[in-house]
Amino acid sequence: MSIAEKIEDLREKLRHHEHLYYVLDSPEISDTQYDAMMRELDVLEKAHPEFLTPDSPTQRVGGKPREGFVKVPHSSPMLSLDNAVGEEELRAFDQRLRGLLKEGEAYAYVAELKMDGVSMAVHYRHGKLALAITRGDGSIGEDVTENARTIRAIPLQLRGHIKETSSDREARGEVVLNRKAFEKLNAEQEAQGARLFANPRNAAAGALRVLDPAITASRQLDYFTYFLLADGAPAHKTQWEALEALKRLGFKVNPHSRRFEDIDVLVAFCKEWEEKRDSLPFEIDGVVVKVDSVEQQNRLGWTAKAPRWAIAYKFPARQEETLLESIDVNVGRTGAVTPWARLKPVNIGGVTVSRATLHNEDEIERLGVQGGDRVLVERAGDVIPKVVRVVRQGDHRMPFRMPKSCPVCGGEIVRVEGEAISRCINTNCPARLKESVLHFAARGVMDIDGMGESLVSQLVDSGLVKNVADLYRLTLEDLVELERLGTKSAEKLLKNIESSRQRPLPRILNGLGIPFVGERTAQFLADAFGDLDKIATADEEELQRAEEVGPKVSQSIRRFFHEKHNRELIERFREERLPFKYQAKRKVGGPLAGMTFVLTGTLPALSREEAENLIESAGGKIAGSVSKKTSYVVAGADPGSKLDKASALGVKVIDEAALRELAERSG
Ligand code: IVH
């Protein structure tokens, strides 16, 4: 096979597997196999740039951020639909239609779920993606081609028959974000202190219209098609055939679409989905009903804004207005203090709602909401209801203020600068104790084998463990009292707890659960101070002498040791004789001094931790990502993208054997 053939062969295979994965949702190969194939293609294309084409599967995110969007006209207007609310109005639509057609003329409907997203038109020339346009005002939209390319459900090249792909086609459909991706996105926004999206539709609209395609790519948008056009007009005789053709061309079509000849069955279908809407991974807000025959569609025609041959059966809104009685806070498993709205109970689509989430202080400010206001509340799927907006301000308003002390334990509540979330920083706060104990005992922290979720739950619930130091007071009698713990396991567990007393200071520091102090920072702190008491009493400036500790981290450490309960815990640790002192292991010199290493893939003999220890004890440093400053990338089996980065930057790549050799050279 020539290089060009090899490249085309890989592209074909990748397109096939992308279609299976992203469109049909039934992959045949593992992600690793897919990634390997993609990398192989990428390497070949980089070595032979003369063969690179924009429709290659490697070119989903090629574009650079742009300055703005170019306006482009649609091939024919993208109209909207008239609504039918309830069965009566749907039947009235059917009657009207019957009147417009010939006496006794047969007709059929195609019903499609009305996905709640934003519509977009995608044009193909000679079978290749050429242009993607937002709906805009219906006549003119914006060119978002580079962003659309990042959506995996949009083929860069049409599949199927030459006959269909030789001429130009336009697919119209809905860009959506599924609920999971939406929740994840909002969680990320929240963690970064960024604004939350009100619903998946807004999030999809935003992601489609960002100037940097890399952001669109990260949002996991999806695309479901419902029209197939040639020169602005339907390319097929019926809507049903169009949906079939769209599937053959490689597009996603909502699998719940159906064809009906009987209005009663159609009504039943609409009602069924009204009931079942929560079971879908996507938000839908109704059912779109279209006359199947294009010839009949043309005879029925259009009004100024909508076709006469189609209607949107709208589900009742799941938003209701009610009184927001007060804003209270809840302390979560990680100590996060989240405000929530106590509501006058209200029925929203069959469910009584008496509380709604408000996420954080910024969200409250954005909404401008206070206790006593009338608010609009929305319920979507099984997610916690949320406040959409203030409808009318109350006469006696009560502004929200984040409490200074935790309502559960009285501990100090802290909001670190630049963070959206406030936290109770008492590690032993009952609201977060289980989570604290699990973290303390975890692998790589204090390594207490056998300390799993159900055991921790029992220990905390029974009152045996009120703070992590209590673990060291547990007796055999205590433990055998617990459900499902035999004498043998109890003895073993006690032994494991006992041996955890030997863990060095960095592990203890990590185990405390200080915000922003993980394994790495804990090590740097121990290296720099060598004594827990010194760390606990150092001021911010002193703390910043430790490697990688900046203002945000030092502030967090200061506040942690300022908190009364945490100081008590340190005293308990002292009584338990946990090692407060630490002798920095790292050699100043060593054969790897001044070198930075990045690890990727699975090494043949060394675990990741062992490899890191080897490097560090020989004086080298570990970095998380490859840069020009990286001395070596150590690669094992199934390496990640770090390897590509290394070759792009010309960083040397070595294997485990070569690493050992370097590390063992004498000085
Ligand atoms: S047909 C001329 N089909 O709902 C017909 N629209 O108000 C125009 N939508 O703007 C649209 N799923 O954003 C059609 N299967 C579907 C749809 C659908 C969702 C959206 C679309 C459109 C709005 C109609």
Side-chain angles (χ1 to χ4, degrees):
M1 235 191 261
S2 70
I3 298 287
E5 282 165 349
K6 178 78 196 151
I7 287 180
E8 206 32 61
D9 180 59
L10 278 167
R11 287 179 186 165
E12 256 328 296
K13 287 194 177 119
L14 281 161
R15 281 182 198 122
H16 172 68
H17 290 296
E18 283 186 349
H19 182 247
L20 286 172
Y21 186 95
Y22 291 105
V23 177
L24 302 180
D25 206 5
S26 58
E28 281 171 3
I29 59 172
S30 70
D31 291 7
T32 327
Q33 286 170 301
Y34 172 83
D35 291 345
M37 225 187 267
M38 186 68 100
R39 211 157 33 238
E40 193 182 345
L41 175 60
D42 197 38
V43 168
L44 280 176
E45 286 177 343
K46 288 218 173 85
H48 304 276
E50 66 275 20
F51 296 132
L52 192 61
T53 54
D55 62 336
S56 168
T58 57
Q59 301 304 298
R60 288 271 177 194
V61 196
K64 290 191 193 68
R66 275 138 308 147
E67 306 273 301
F69 294 108
V70 175
K71 291 216 164 27
V72 263
H74 286 292
S75 59
S76 61
M78 285 182 87
L79 300 174
S80 66
L81 293 172
D82 286 333
N83 293 333
V85 180
E87 176 178 345
E88 297 299 297
E89 291 190 19
L90 182 57
R91 287 186 185 276
F93 162 76
D94 180 59
Q95 284 302 328
R96 209 157 53 238
L97 209 122
R98 202 180 287 265
L100 290 168
L101 292 172
K102 285 180 226 141
E103 178 95 33
E105 183 179 348
Y107 58 94
Y109 291 117
V110 171
E112 299 156 10
L113 300 187
K114 188 169 183 300
M115 308 196 74
D116 201 5
V118 286
S119 41
M120 179 172 76
V122 188
H123 293 251
Y124 289 79
R125 289 198 196 109
H126 307 296
K128 296 191 194 300
L129 191 156
L131 179 64
I133 320 174
T134 59
R135 179 172 185 276
D137 67 3
S139 304
I140 295 173
E142 287 175 326
D143 177 347
V144 288
T145 314
E146 288 310 309
N147 292 350
R149 299 175 69 83
T150 69
I151 303 174
R152 302 298 180 129
I154 297 181
L156 298 177
Q157 183 183 310
L158 297 178
R159 298 164 60 80
H161 312 302
I162 310 291
K163 201 165 117 270
E164 278 168 338
T165 58
S166 59
S167 49
D168 298 348
R169 285 286 180 275
E170 175 184 351
R172 289 185 180 178
E174 201 80 351
V175 177
V176 293
L177 193 65
N178 75 31
R179 252 182 237 142
K180 265 215 191 101
F182 170 70
E183 294 296 318
K184 194 170 142 247
L185 173 61
N186 256 0
E188 283 163 11
Q189 293 284 109
E190 181 155 15
Q192 288 167 12
R195 274 183 66 159
L196 300 184
F197 294 101
N199 52 48
R201 174 163 33 79
N202 287 2
L208 193 59
R209 290 193 72 260
V210 292
L211 292 168
D212 183 357
I215 296 178
T216 315
S218 71
R219 298 278 166 89
Q220 295 175 39
L221 296 174
D222 214 331
Y223 186 60
F224 285 85
T225 54
Y226 45 69
F227 278 136
L228 182 58
L229 309 180
D231 295 324
H236 293 263
K237 286 202 170 74
T238 67
Q239 172 66 7
W240 191 253
E241 282 170 48
L243 296 182
E244 292 298 322
L246 282 164
K247 286 187 243 176
R248 283 198 304 276
L249 293 174
F251 291 101
K252 234 174 179 170
V253 170
N254 193 301
H256 304 294
S257 309
R258 277 185 55 188
R259 188 173 180 277
F260 294 97
E261 289 175 4
D262 182 333
I263 181 71
D264 293 331
V265 192
L266 172 64
V267 167
F269 176 86
C270 292
K271 293 200 162 163
E272 184 187 332
W273 279 108
E274 194 168 324
E275 286 291 312
K276 289 202 303 198
R277 61 194 287 199
D278 285 350
S279 69
L280 289 166
F282 297 94
E283 292 283 338
I284 57 170
D285 59 349
V287 176
V288 177
V289 177
K290 300 171 182 168
V291 167
D292 190 26
S293 154
V294 169
E295 187 271 323
Q296 285 175 331
Q297 289 179 3
N298 288 334
R299 259 192 288 139
L300 290 160
W302 291 260
T303 66
K305 63 175 254 288
R308 282 198 197 89
W309 44 266
I311 197 146
Y313 174 88
K314 292 279 265 189
F315 297 150
R318 289 193 301 189
Q319 294 187 336
E320 293 294 337
E321 192 191 310
T322 190
L323 172 71
L324 188 156
E325 293 174 337
S326 63
I327 299 176
D328 297 350
V329 297
N330 174 43
V331 188
R333 294 189 315 153
T334 59
V337 182
T338 41
W340 59 276
R342 185 186 298 277
L343 305 170
K344 181 160 182 254
V346 59
N347 184 311
I348 308 182
V351 175
T352 304
V353 173
S354 54
R355 49 192 297 171
T357 175
L358 287 166
H359 293 287
N360 55 48
E361 284 175 285
D362 293 346
E363 176 75 353
I364 292 174
E365 196 168 311
R366 182 181 77 82
L367 291 165
V369 67
Q370 297 191 8
D373 289 350
R374 301 280 308 171
V375 292
L376 192 65
V377 180
E378 179 177 85
R379 188 175 70 82
D382 11 83
V383 300
I384 308 162
K386 61 179 175 230
V387 174
V388 181
R389 63 183 166 84
V390 174
V391 178
R392 186 159 33 81
Q393 295 189 352
D395 295 333
H396 305 284
R397 307 183 79 206
M398 287 163 290
F400 172 73
R401 233 175 265 117
M402 182 59 77
K404 292 216 165 10
S405 56
C406 173
V408 178
C409 71
E412 197 180 331
I413 290 180
V414 163
R415 178 174 173 184
V416 175
E417 269 173 52
E419 283 269 288
I421 299 167
S422 302
R423 292 174 199 282
C424 165
I425 56 166
N426 171 13
T427 293
N428 300 317
C429 171
R432 50 177 298 201
L433 183 56
K434 288 180 188 175
E435 214 57 30
S436 296
V437 176
L438 279 170
H439 169 70
F440 186 78
R443 264 180 77 185
V445 188
M446 295 300 269
D447 266 329
I448 307 180
D449 216 23
M451 191 66 81
E453 224 165 291
S454 99
L455 180 68
V456 169
S457 247
Q458 292 187 61
L459 289 173
V460 171
D461 292 342
S462 64
L464 283 170
V465 169
K466 294 199 176 64
N467 62 56
V468 289
D470 283 347
L471 291 175
Y472 295 105
R473 299 249 168 119
L474 291 172
T475 64
L476 194 60
E477 293 81 74
D478 288 341
L479 290 177
V480 292
E481 291 282 289
L482 301 175
E483 256 178 85
R484 278 178 298 182
L485 202 66
T487 316
K488 255 222 173 97
S489 336
E491 279 171 348
K492 209 155 142 206
L493 185 66
L494 280 182
K495 230 179 83 206
N496 293 341
I497 294 175
E498 219 24 60
S499 50
S500 79
R501 286 182 195 265
Q502 313 295 320
R503 306 280 177 258
L505 180 60
R507 303 286 197 103
I508 301 173
L509 271 171
N510 181 8
L512 286 172
I514 306 170
F516 310 117
V517 178
E519 189 179 332
R520 209 176 144 80
T521 308
Q523 181 69 53
F524 289 141
L525 286 166
D527 283 344
F529 293 91
D531 184 345
L532 182 55
D533 285 319
K534 287 199 182 129
I535 298 168
T537 52
D539 64 28
E540 287 195 35
E541 207 181 302
E542 287 167 334
L543 284 166
Q544 289 178 29
R545 270 192 251 137
E547 234 173 301
E548 290 187 14
V549 174
K552 179 163 143 178
V553 180
S554 63
Q555 187 190 49
S556 170
I557 299 169
R558 241 351 278 130
R559 288 183 166 171
F560 181 89
F561 288 111
H562 182 265
E563 211 287 329
K564 182 172 130 237
H565 305 80
N566 294 335
R567 282 207 311 268
E568 284 165 10
L569 180 67
I570 301 302
E571 288 318 306
R572 286 288 316 279
F573 279 178
R574 194 189 311 282
E575 287 166 28
E576 298 301 336
R577 298 176 183 281
L578 295 186
F580 277 28
K581 301 263 197 265
Y582 181 72
Q583 188 66 54
K585 258 196 298 204
R586 191 179 299 175
K587 295 187 201 158
V588 182
L592 302 185
M595 297 184 197
T596 307
F597 292 77
V598 172
L599 297 167
T600 181
T602 316
L603 300 180
L606 295 173
S607 72
R608 195 173 187 93
E609 203 181 357
E610 287 164 344
E612 288 180 0
N613 279 339
L614 175 69
I615 291 168
E616 287 181 341
S617 57
K621 272 195 197 171
I622 312 283
S625 60
V626 183
S627 74
K628 275 192 232 142
K629 288 189 195 147
T630 310
S631 318
Y632 294 97
V633 168
V634 185
D638 287 333
S641 60
K642 291 172 186 168
L643 195 58
D644 302 337
K645 186 98 186 273
S647 67
L649 294 176
V651 172
K652 276 184 226 143
V653 178
I654 57 172
D655 61 7
E656 182 185 304
L659 170 66
R660 285 175 189 272
E661 224 164 274
L662 280 177
E664 282 153 18
R665 279 182 315 187
S666 49

